[in-house]
């Protein structure tokens, strides 16, 4: 399954790693290990961050994605299932709605 992963880096230790020249090399190693389909760097909540799409075979793969960010950067990671339009079509929302139609709103 495809997951969207938000990684938010706290100011420290990231600033120190930028100053000592290790931030880029470690980010490269982590990305090489995780092999995301895509990764973008941006700002979130006023902090440096990364947004990645990764293919995850099952929940046991999540620690291998999160731990490098936790251990190296003390980062905050968020994981979200990401669906394509085809995935959403296969969910059969009409059938789900019929099942729960009797619930008063």
């Amino acid at each position: 399954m495809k997951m969207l992963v938000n990684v938010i880096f706290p100011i420290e230790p990231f600033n120190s790693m930028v100053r000592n020249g290790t931030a880029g090399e470690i980010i490269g190693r982590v990305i090489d290990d995780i092999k995301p389909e895509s990764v973008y760097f941006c700002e979130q909540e006023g902090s440096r961050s990364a947004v990645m799409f990764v293919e995850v075979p099952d929940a046991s793969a999540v620690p291998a994605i999160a731990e490098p960010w936790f251990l190296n950067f003390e980062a905050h990671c968020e994981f979200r299932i990401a669906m394509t339009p085809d995935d959403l079509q296969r969910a059969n929302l009409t059938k789900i709605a019929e099942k729960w139609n009797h619930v008063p709103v």
Side-chain angles (χ1 to χ4, degrees):
M1 92 186 98
K2 193 174 304 297
M3 294 192 87
L4 172 90
V5 181
N6 282 320
V7 181
I8 299 174
F9 304 100
I11 298 301
E12 284 299 334
F14 204 97
N15 277 357
S16 294
M17 296 171 85
V18 169
R19 286 184 183 107
N20 70 25
T22 60
E25 185 264 330
I26 293 173
I27 287 172
R29 286 179 47 209
V30 172
I31 290 171
D32 286 346
D33 191 58
I34 295 172
K35 297 178 181 34
E37 291 180 11
S38 59
V39 61
Y40 301 93
F41 294 91
C42 57
E43 172 278 333
Q44 289 187 65
E45 300 175 15
S47 294
R48 297 173 181 104
S49 68
V51 178
M52 300 183 295
F53 282 96
V54 295
E55 188 64 34
V56 179
D58 59 58
S60 67
V62 170
I65 296 166
E67 289 299 330
W69 301 115
F70 293 155
L71 294 170
N72 289 293
F73 297 99
E74 299 178 26
H76 173 84
C77 296
E78 301 172 336
F79 291 83
R80 292 184 176 86
I81 303 286
M83 292 188 291
T84 65
D86 288 339
D87 294 331
L88 187 58
Q89 291 273 332
R90 287 193 309 275
N92 199 347
L93 293 177
T94 302
K95 184 175 180 178
I96 295 169
E98 289 170 0
K99 176 179 179 179
W100 295 99
N101 197 31
H102 68 283
V103 176
V105 179

